[in-house]
Amino acid sequence: MTQLHDLRLRLLVQQESERIADSQPDELDLSVVQARCLCWLALLAEAHEEQATDAERTGDTEQAMGWFADSMRLRDVINVVTSIEIPLAA
């Protein structure tokens, strides 16, 4: 099931990058977009991990598990986005 989810996510990101490239071929460097997205995703994952730690410290195990699960999903997305090869502009 995880592989199916990864493949669907990869397809969605590739389709969106192609849509963006087709709509703005001269104005957009998709490698820059990918790098910026990865930076934001990493920051979000880190913030979720911190929230999980804070919730665990206060004894809210359920909330800690939720924040931790979200951070793991963000890490999965980071791995998928990182693995997408963006074609260089001609």
Side-chain angles (χ1 to χ4, degrees), residues 28-90:
L28 193 61
D29 183 348
L30 290 178
S31 62
V32 173
V33 172
Q34 182 183 37
R36 288 182 180 167
C37 289
L38 288 169
C39 290
W40 281 108
L41 287 168
L43 288 172
L44 283 171
E46 185 178 311
H48 279 69
E49 288 169 2
E50 289 174 8
Q51 290 289 340
T53 302
D54 290 345
E56 188 177 21
R57 248 187 262 130
T58 61
D60 191 349
T61 307
E62 186 176 335
Q63 187 65 43
M65 288 174 31
W67 284 112
F68 181 75
D70 287 346
S71 72
M72 290 296 99
R73 283 191 281 276
L74 284 166
R75 296 285 177 202
D76 289 344
V77 172
I78 289 169
N79 289 333
V80 170
V81 172
T82 301
S83 69
I84 294 173
E85 294 183 23
I86 295 187
L88 297 175

